[in-house]
Amino acid sequence: MDLNLLVALDALLEEESVTGAAARLHVSAPAMSRTLGRIRAALGDPVLVRAGRHLVPTPRAVELRPHVRTVVASARDLLAPRPPADPAALRREFAVQASDLVLAHLGARLITAVARQAPGVTLRFLPESLEGTPALRDGRLDLELGVIGHADPETRTEALGVTGLVGAVRPGHPLAARTRVTARAFAAAEHVGVSRQGRVHGPVDDALAALGLRRRVVAVVPGWSAALLLCREADLVGLAPPGVAEALGLRTFEVPLDLPPLPLGMAWHPRNDADPAHRWLRDRVRETWSAGETGAA
């Protein structure tokens, strides 16, 4: 089945002229005449017949005319680029995987921005257990936010920026009263670590080892929020992005080590690359990150 015949038939029925239809479709008149022959053979009907110096449609052609026009218009609409998404009209759920570090850094602002512009959109945050799995490829996940270092080869990734970490302790902790925390005092305190895999050793320990120091990690938890809540109740030192620990009533201080910043980004599967609604969500993530970095409302 050659669906191009429908486009030619639509032009022929509209123009009632081989020459006119050829000009409309930017082909030669002989080529259009041959196409009309193919249409006649397919339909078993002459479609257009000569009446003096003009061509007139057969009853079958008159019957087909509105249906052909509808089909061709639908096909053109189907293949046309989709317009930008209208946030107010969106009715959709997005599955997003983000660490609680990312959620603490931009989660509230992102949820507020999405709810304000698209009240019909729900952000469904999924557990970090999906990290490192083919969830993006399988379609179980629409967007991943965080430290992106395990993406499938075809996955689209985009850097958002970096965030540093500060030390966090409860107000009554001995380090809370210091104007400047030294590396030795930092190492002497008891720490709570964060690792989904339960690792005790990390970049902080490497930095301390370079100074000939070693800390005592008394607990390791899988998430940043849990670590900060423990710091609020016990004499433990935790790490957090600037601004997050203060919201929980903790005191913060500059970590006296040369720690690499954490690169944060987003990742998505190519199937969603051109989807207007998904592009709109990615724009909101970018704007939310930028607003947080500049201190904008």
Side-chain angles (χ1 to χ4, degrees):
M1 181 182 296
D2 184 356
L3 296 182
N4 286 316
L5 295 181
L6 286 174
V7 178
L9 179 58
D10 181 56
L12 287 164
L13 295 178
E14 181 72 19
E15 300 290 335
E16 294 186 0
S17 164
V18 171
T19 303
R24 179 172 170 177
L25 297 183
H26 307 290
V27 299
S28 67
M32 181 55 70
S33 181
R34 290 192 294 272
T35 299
L36 175 57
R38 294 175 60 198
I39 292 172
R40 286 168 169 165
L43 292 176
D45 186 271
V47 183
L48 293 172
V49 296
R50 186 161 296 282
R53 301 176 62 181
H54 303 286
L55 293 176
V56 295
T58 64
R60 173 67 169 149
V62 172
E63 176 189 350
L64 286 175
R65 179 181 285 157
H67 303 294
V68 171
R69 187 168 301 167
T70 298
V71 170
V72 171
S74 297
R76 285 176 174 149
D77 180 65
L78 181 67
L79 296 176
R82 295 180 66 183
D86 177 9
L90 281 179
R91 298 293 182 271
R92 185 160 166 180
E93 287 187 358
F94 289 101
V96 182
Q97 188 268 308
S99 69
D100 58 350
L101 170 66
V102 173
L103 286 176
H105 195 67
L106 57 81
R109 297 194 307 275
L110 177 61
I111 292 169
T112 300
V114 167
R116 182 171 60 244
Q117 296 184 28
V121 167
T122 298
L123 298 180
R124 192 160 51 92
F125 290 99
L126 302 183
E128 291 182 72
S129 58
L130 290 178
E131 187 177 342
T133 72
L136 284 172
R137 175 184 287 176
D138 296 345
R140 289 175 291 154
L141 198 60
D142 295 308
L143 190 65
E144 181 178 344
L145 302 174
V147 179
I148 310 297
H150 53 268
D152 295 318
E154 74 273 17
T155 300
R156 302 279 195 267
T157 60
E158 179 180 328
L160 293 172
V162 297
T163 182
L165 296 174
V166 296
V169 295
R170 69 182 185 88
H173 192 282
L175 294 184
R178 290 176 175 248
T179 56
R180 178 178 175 273
V181 175
T182 65
R184 188 169 299 277
F186 178 78
E190 294 184 329
H191 293 250
V192 56
V194 178
S195 171
R196 282 199 312 112
Q197 292 79 26
R199 297 192 182 106
V200 177
H201 193 92
V204 171
D205 303 281
D206 293 335
L208 285 171
L211 300 175
L213 299 171
R214 184 177 179 180
R215 65 172 179 165
R216 171 166 160 70
V217 178
V218 300
V220 177
V221 295
W224 299 85
S225 299
L228 294 178
L229 290 174
L230 287 174
C231 291
R232 192 171 66 176
E233 302 299 327
D235 280 341
L236 298 174
V237 175
L239 299 178
V244 174
E246 292 90 340
L248 294 174
L250 297 171
R251 301 286 178 84
T252 60
F253 57 87
E254 183 178 348
V255 177
L257 301 171
D258 186 16
L259 297 178
L262 290 176
L264 299 179
M266 58 180 169
W268 64 95
H269 194 270
R271 70 163 64 85
N272 291 317
D273 203 35
D275 177 55
H278 200 280
R279 293 174 66 177
W280 171 84
L281 177 61
R282 300 197 303 268
D283 286 342
R284 300 293 76 71
V285 172
R286 295 185 193 101
E287 290 176 2
T288 301
W289 176 271
S290 298
E293 293 302 288
T294 60

